[in-house]
Amino acid sequence: MITEQNISEWAERYLRHELSEAEQALLDRALDADPGLYRQWMQSIELLRTFHSAAEQREIRNLIRSVAEDRKAWAPAAEEKPAAAFSWVPFGKYLKMTAAAAGLILFSSLSTYFFVAKKDNKAGQQQVTLLRREIERIKHSQTKIIDSLNKSRPDAQAGISDEEVALYGGTGFAISNDGYIATNYHVVKDAHSIYVQTRKGDMKAYIVAREPNADIAILKLEDRSYRFGKGALPYNIARPVSGLGQRVFTIGYPKDEVVYNEGYISCENGYKGDVHSYQLEMTANPGQSGSPVLDKYGSVIALITSKQNNTTGTTYAIHSKALIELVESLPKSAGVRLPEVNRISKLERTEQVRKMRDYVFSIKVN
Amino acid sequence: MTKVFYTDTELLEGLAAGNRDAVTALYKLYHAILTKWILSRGGLEADAEDVFQEALVVLFEKAKSPEFCLTCKLSTYLFAVSKRIWFRKMEQAGIYHPLAAEEDGDLDFAGGTYDSDLEQHMEKEKQYALLAKALDRLGAPCSALLKAFYEEKRNMQEIAELFRYTNAENAKTQKYKCLTRLRKLFFAAGVEIRH
């Protein structure tokens, strides 16, 4: 018989799954019959469950607490160091990090100091930047050069090793149709080998003549049979010095594509009164060294060499006269014939540039 | 402790089974991060310890329940619950007040499940407190007997010896009498039946 007195026992046996089928049926009937008993049944079940889960929870709390107290088992080893008598020792936890940070600060401040010092020093000596370009994508251009060389000159492969890396870039322009190119001396002065980017790809060139004082060099393509164009060059090289205010334009390779710029002659003399160069009001970027500067008729009047550091847009270019003098100093056997006739003087600027650009090359040096 | 890495499932099962190694692993994995978070919120290390233990208990309760299925990473769950415990603590201390907008907007968001889990946990805690109170009022011999049986899990033979009953059957009868009295005290305090 199930009563209020023994309902707890039944509940406990029920929760433990100890009731037989007959007992279960008896229980169901009794609970259905008496709502009061049913309520007590539910309470008993609830109490037992609460009791049970409370006990479980207490157990897990005890376990967690004991794990928490056992710091050795889980805390990082660094925190386990016993505190010593010195006050800075608790700081030891961060010693490595602090040391690293201090080192970094020391390094960066020193390097900044040296950098600034070096820069100042440099600025004291020289306030112009030569406009040769340091090529960032060394690997890329190297493989490009090798690829194109392999294509165009399969017999020249032996001369090119993997160590050859294009380091600098500049611009050059044709001074005769049969492979002579003018550029700045500083572009090619450290050259191990020189590559000129023509329509046929990169072609190897060598220095024929140099004039370090005027910063001019004349290159010649190794391929003797190569011609830049069908006839003579479309532009000429002017000997007379152009006047102040002359509008000028240039095309060069500050990047891998040809770039056009224009400006005017702002001073007849160059940096520190250099009588062999002009000061131009025109932006120029590294890589444009050796670019031809043309007047509005399309005559080459100068070669870009450098720009002033502390201003933008002040560019220095060497008189083309220096170039002519260098060419004329070459022996007759060299056979350099400068273009005499300007065939683009009456054309629109865009036409002039279109005709010109086939004779202006990117030069890569390594 | 031999094992170094545990999966979330292993950790959960280990926690549910009361496995010390699993709890240690949980401490190793998450205690430092939570402590850092609590410290950044202006709490103390002791607060962090409390919150972490509470969160582990919530996790334990969830791991115990058969229908529980972790739908996110264990760490996510643990931290979400920890944060809610912390906010609740702050709320109770009157330091932090929830924005009214949060109350109605967040229900369909995942936050709802964490909140309801925590709610359940709080309710249980309340019930355990009531049980403890009822046991107190029950008086020494009875409550000690019930605790010995339900909490310390001693068998009736041991209990009979401990409480000087003549035999186990006697002790059992006494236990049920105590249980009936406890039930009345417990439900007199207004506990509702949930199950």
Side-chain angles (χ1 to χ4, degrees), chain A residues 131-138 166-170 254 286-287:
Chain A
L131 290 175
R132 70 177 174 183
R133 176 167 70 122
E134 280 184 65
I135 292 171
E136 316 84 3
R137 288 172 300 152
I138 289 166
L167 283 174
Y168 291 102

Side-chain angles (χ1 to χ4, degrees), chain A residues 12 16 46 53 57 66, chain B residues 20 61 125 127 150 175:
Chain A
E12 188 164 282
R16 287 186 183 178
E46 176 74 16
S53 63
Q57 211 214 42
S66 84
Chain B
R20 193 188 175 88
E61 280 166 3
E125 288 290 288
Q127 216 162 355
Y150 290 106
K175 191 197 82 181

Side-chain angles (χ1 to χ4, degrees), chain B residues 82-107:
Chain B
S82 297
K83 284 174 186 180
R84 278 168 172 74
I85 292 169
W86 171 249
F87 287 139
R88 213 163 272 236
K89 239 183 149 161
M90 291 289 94
E91 236 174 273
Q92 281 164 359
I95 295 169
Y96 167 83
H97 300 281
L99 296 173
E102 268 185 4
E103 303 267 311
D104 41 47
D106 253 10
L107 276 179

Side-chain angles (χ1 to χ4, degrees), chain A residues 15 35 59 74 128 181 250 266:
Chain A
L15 285 178
E59 242 168 69
W74 49 268
V128 294
I181 292 164
T250 184
S266 55

